[in-house]
């Protein structure tokens, strides 16, 4: 999970969502109260679940470690094959707009000739 979170594309997307969430809460008091209540509920559920799940996680720890290692190797390969994952969201959007604009211009030129 931490390896996925450290991918540039993922971390920049999380930053954008976090900024938008904080800005929305700041700008709209009614939404802020709903969000605060939801955050408290999630925190309570997480705390309650953590204590129940901990014994199971301890038992499964060797299996989780093996799966984690396998997933880590897979993510490394994925990062090599898809360089897009190493770019921030803003750059991906910009590159996509540029590509689409180029293709539309090519199509216009083909149609007009």
């Amino acid at each position: 999970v931490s390896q996925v979170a450290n991918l540039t594309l993922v971390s920049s997307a999380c930053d954008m969502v976090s900024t938008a969430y904080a800005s929305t809460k700041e700008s709209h008091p009614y939404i802020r109260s709903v969000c605060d209540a939801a955050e408290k509920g999630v925190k309570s559920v997480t705390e309650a679940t953590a204590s129940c799940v901990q014994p199971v996680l301890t038992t499964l720890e060797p299996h989780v470690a093996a799966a984690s290692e396998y997933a880590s190797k897979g993510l490394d390969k994925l990062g090599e094959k898809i360089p897009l994952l190493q770019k921030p969201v803003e750059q991906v959007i910009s590159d996509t707009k540029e590509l689409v604009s180029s293709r539309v211009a090519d199509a216009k030129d083909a149609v007009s000739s």
Side-chain angles (χ1 to χ4, degrees), residues 37-92:
E39 289 169 15
K40 287 178 186 174
V42 168
K43 185 178 178 183
S44 298
V45 168
T46 302
E47 289 170 353
T49 304
S51 61
C52 297
V53 171
Q54 190 57 46
V56 175
L57 288 178
T58 303
T59 304
L60 296 176
E61 190 171 351
H63 305 291
V64 171
S68 179
E69 185 177 337
Y70 183 74
S72 179
K73 289 177 183 176
L75 283 169
D76 288 342
K77 287 183 183 179
L78 192 63
E80 292 170 11
K81 294 184 186 228
I82 306 175
L84 176 81
L85 296 172
Q86 304 305 326
K87 294 180 180 182
V89 171
E90 296 85 358
Q91 186 176 358
V92 171

